[in-house]
Amino acid sequence: MRVFQFLLGLVVFCVVSLTALPLPVFAASSAAIRAFDDVQATTKDYSGQDLVRAEFANVRLENANFSGADLRGAVFNGSVLKNANLHSIDFSDGIAYLSDLSGVDLTDAVLTSAMMLKSSFKGAKVDGADFSFALLDRDQILELCKTANGVNPVTGADTRESLGCQ
């Protein structure tokens, strides 16, 4: 019985000791996140690329081609994407904050759970786009609802329903 109590005490001591120690913290290295900051992007063709969690801050990307790109969790902060081709992108869980998306082609795009506040979508084409659980400014939703239609070929979501159009 004493051996059992000793072993049980040793196990409890080890568990308590290990949980009291600080655990190492791992931050993403600069190599893990591809950042495109404050530049006139020299590359304008990102079509079909894996750009998961890429960061574009204050970048001018007018007429850039992102068609079919995997942009899950990507960030566009203060970027200009006027007339960019975003056809069939996956921008799930992405962030587009203070960005100009005027005239972009978002047909068949997946934008589920994306946060796109303080961004402009004037004249954007959104046929077949899925905005389920996405956050947009109310005035931008009203603008997009004027022309929104179709069903997303990947998720099966109705574009007007995913935007909350009346």
Side-chain angles (χ1 to χ4, degrees):
M1 186 69 167
R2 286 188 163 189
V3 172
F4 176 73
Q5 288 175 335
F6 173 76
L7 289 175
L8 181 62
L10 185 61
V11 168
V12 169
F13 173 77
C14 289
V15 168
V16 169
S17 296
L18 291 175
T19 57
L21 294 175
L23 297 174
V25 177
F26 299 100
S29 71
S30 59
I33 298 174
R34 290 161 289 184
F36 304 85
D37 298 319
D38 301 309
V39 295
Q40 179 81 21
T42 56
T43 302
K44 294 280 187 162
D45 188 0
Y46 300 94
S47 60
Q49 291 188 29
D50 177 358
L51 296 168
V52 173
R53 294 187 309 273
E55 295 181 10
F56 296 87
N58 300 312
V59 180
R60 301 189 66 80
L61 295 162
E62 290 101 335
N63 302 305
N65 183 7
F66 285 92
S67 64
D70 187 352
L71 288 159
R72 289 173 294 150
V75 175
F76 291 97
N77 187 12
S79 296
V80 178
L81 290 122
K82 283 183 180 179
N83 302 312
N85 182 355
L86 305 175
H87 179 84
S88 295
I89 63 165
D90 187 346
F91 191 59
S92 301
D93 302 311
I95 297 172
Y97 183 71
L98 284 171
S99 293
D100 186 352
L101 295 147
S102 301
V104 298
D105 179 359
L106 286 168
T107 56
D108 300 332
V110 177
L111 305 133
T112 56
S113 300
M115 188 196 73
M116 298 176 283
L117 298 172
K118 303 294 181 195
S119 292
S120 172
F121 292 89
K122 186 176 182 179
K125 185 176 178 186
V126 295
D127 299 344
D130 182 357
F131 289 90
S132 299
F133 306 106
L135 296 174
L136 287 88
D137 295 316
R138 184 75 183 140
D139 62 328
Q140 296 304 305
I141 292 172
L142 294 173
E143 178 74 25
L144 292 173
C145 285
K146 291 177 183 176
T147 60
N149 66 53
V151 174
N152 187 275
V154 176
T155 65
D158 180 274
T159 300
R160 293 186 61 74
E161 285 181 24
S162 70
L163 277 167
C165 300
Q166 300 299 323

